[in-house]
Amino acid sequence: MVGMTTTAAPATTAPVVGFDQVTKTYGSVRAVDGLSLRLYPGETVALLGPNGAGKSTTLDLLLGLKPADSGAVSLFGTGPREAIVAGRVGAMLQSGGLMDGVTVAELVRLACSLHPRPYPVSDVLARAGIAQIADRKVDKLSGGQAQRVRFALATAGDSDLIILDEPTTGMDVTARQAFWATMREQADQGRTVLFATHYLEEADAIADRVLVLHRGRLLADGTAAEIKAKAGARRVSFDLEGEVDETALRGLPFLTSLTVSNSGSAAGSGQTVRIQSTDADATVHALYGLGVYPRNLEVAGLGLEQAFVAITAAEEAKQS
Ligand SMILES: Nc1ncnc2c1ncn2[C@@H]1O[C@H](COP(=O)(O)OP(=O)(O)OP(=O)(O)O)[C@@H](O)[C@H]1O
C-alpha cells in the first residue's frame, strides 16, 4: 500500500469514516475482505476497482444498508444509522431510489423535508440542472436526467459526507462538468466526498486520494501520482520506418506490453510502437542495440488508467 500517511489529515482530526477489519461475504464470495480505512474531513476520495471488486458493497456497508459479517464500520464516531438520521450523509446510489408517479419537484421537496438541514428546493433543482424538468414525472426521465435527480436527492441538505456510486454514468459531457464543479465546491467547504467510478480520468482529475479495491481488499491508497508511481512502469513510444521486427522488439528487456500500429505518416510505411517498461532507460538502451532508428521517442509516466490496469493485473497474476 502506498501513501497512507501522505493524504490523510493529521492524526488528531477525527475520521469521518472508519472501517476496521470489515468483512462481508455472500456465500463463498468475499465481497469485502478485512477492509480497514479512514477518511477525513475535506477529502475527495475515488474508489476504483474492477467489476466485482466490492465497491458497491463497501458503500452499502458504509450506509448501513447491509450488515458486516465482522469488523466495525463507523461514521463520525457513531454507527451509520445514527449519522444518517442526523442528516450527516448524502448518498447517490447506482440505481433505484426514484419513486414512480411523482414529479421531479415533488421528489426533491420530499428529500428536502426529510433532511434536518435542508437547502431551498429551488436551489437544489438549479444546482442539479433539473429546474426545467421539475414538473416531469420521474418515470419519464432519460437515464442522464434520472442521474441528475439522484444527485439532487444526495444534495438536498447540508451533509458532511457525500457518497456517490458511479455518479456520472449516463450523463453527457456538460452535465458531468457541472456535476464535478458542484462536488468540488462541496469539498472546498470541508465536506468529504467519496465516489466509486469506472472513469479513471475523473478520478485522476477530481480525487485527492484514490483507493484501489480488488477482491474486497485495498490494493493501493494514495494520490493519483502515487498510484501511478506504484505501478512501477513507464510508457515509451516511438516511430519506426519500414518493416518492424516485432519479435525483436518483444525481446527487449523490462517490457511489460507492446503495441504496434500504423503511424499514419504521409510516407505511408511508418509504424508507431508503444511500450510499457519497468526500466525505460534499459529498454531504450537495448532498443538502439537492435540497430533501428526510432524517431519521435517519448518516455512518460503511466496514466492512472494504465497504472490501475497494471496494478490489478499484477495482483491477478500473483493470485493465480
Ligand atoms: N446481493 C448479493 N448476493 C450475492 N453476491 C453478491 C451480492 N452483491 C454483490 N455480490 C458479489 O459480491 C462481489 C462484489 O460485488 P460489488 O457489487 O460490491 O462489486 P463492485 O466493485 O461494485 O462491482 P461493479 O464495478 O461491477 O459495480 C461480486 O462478486 C458480486 O457478485
Side-chain angles (χ1 to χ4, degrees):
M1 225 188 283
V2 291
M4 282 304 285
T5 53
T6 51
T7 52
T12 49
T13 306
V16 171
V17 172
F19 266 57
D20 284 300
Q21 290 297 319
V22 174
T23 293
K24 175 74 184 173
T25 52
Y26 298 107
S28 61
V29 176
R30 274 179 177 256
V32 172
D33 188 4
L35 185 64
S36 293
L37 80 110
R38 300 260 178 283
L39 304 185
Y40 291 93
E43 286 189 314
T44 301
V45 183
L47 186 58
L48 309 181
N51 289 137
K55 301 179 294 296
S56 295
T57 305
T58 299
L59 299 185
D60 286 348
L61 290 166
L62 219 165
L63 291 168
L65 296 173
K66 286 175 183 156
D69 296 340
S70 60
V73 177
S74 65
L75 291 185
F76 305 98
T78 66
R81 186 167 294 273
E82 292 89 324
I84 288 161
V85 169
R88 303 198 73 175
V89 187
M92 176 173 173
L93 299 180
Q94 265 191 62
S95 57
L98 298 186
M99 237 180 266
D100 281 0
V102 299
T103 67
V104 169
E106 284 164 349
L107 190 57
V108 171
R109 202 170 297 125
L110 176 67
C112 291
S113 73
L114 293 172
H115 201 288
R117 292 181 304 283
Y119 294 127
V121 172
S122 55
D123 287 5
V124 177
L125 291 170
R127 195 189 304 116
I130 51 175
Q132 67 286 11
I133 55 165
D135 295 330
R136 204 167 298 172
K137 290 274 194 314
V138 294
D139 39 315
K140 299 284 184 283
L141 302 177
S142 73
Q145 289 168 336
Q147 279 297 80
R148 290 176 186 228
V149 172
R150 290 192 185 97
F151 166 43
L153 302 180
T155 54
D158 178 9
S159 304
D160 301 302
L161 169 66
I162 301 175
I163 294 174
L164 310 156
D165 196 359
E166 301 188 25
T168 57
T169 302
M171 285 187 191
D172 63 29
V173 176
T174 314
R176 254 173 217 215
Q177 285 173 348
F179 175 84
W180 286 120
T182 306
M183 280 305 135
R184 240 189 235 115
E185 273 169 33
Q186 300 280 316
D188 288 348
Q189 291 164 9
R191 296 183 179 87
T192 304
V193 178
L194 172 64
F195 66 101
T197 188
H198 286 290
Y199 298 113
L200 277 83
E201 68 281 12
E202 285 189 344
D204 205 355
I206 310 293
D208 43 42
R209 184 174 168 193
V210 175
L211 309 174
V212 180
L213 265 190
H214 181 265
R215 297 194 191 176
R217 286 187 287 151
L218 207 50
L219 266 194
D221 175 358
T223 62
E226 286 168 334
I227 305 288
K228 291 173 198 171
K230 181 184 163 73
R234 302 180 80 195
R235 286 179 284 183
V236 179
S237 68
F238 51 88
D239 295 333
L240 290 178
E241 288 303 315
E243 275 301 298
V244 170
D245 183 351
E246 271 197 52
T247 310
L249 291 174
R250 283 193 194 284
L252 287 168
F254 302 104
L255 205 77
T256 52
S257 82
L258 169 89
T259 56
V260 179
S261 56
N262 286 329
S263 62
S265 71
S269 61
Q271 307 272 290
T272 297
V273 180
R274 291 190 179 83
I275 279 171
Q276 278 181 30
S277 164
T278 52
D279 186 339
D281 295 335
T283 303
V284 170
H285 185 75
L287 174 67
Y288 283 103
L290 295 177
V292 296
Y293 181 36
R295 293 175 186 275
N296 303 322
L297 182 75
E298 284 181 5
V299 180
L302 293 189
L304 186 60
E305 179 151 353
Q306 293 150 328
F308 169 79
V309 169
I311 289 170
T312 51
E315 185 65 18
E316 284 291 335
K318 221 191 292 172
Q319 292 188 8
S320 62

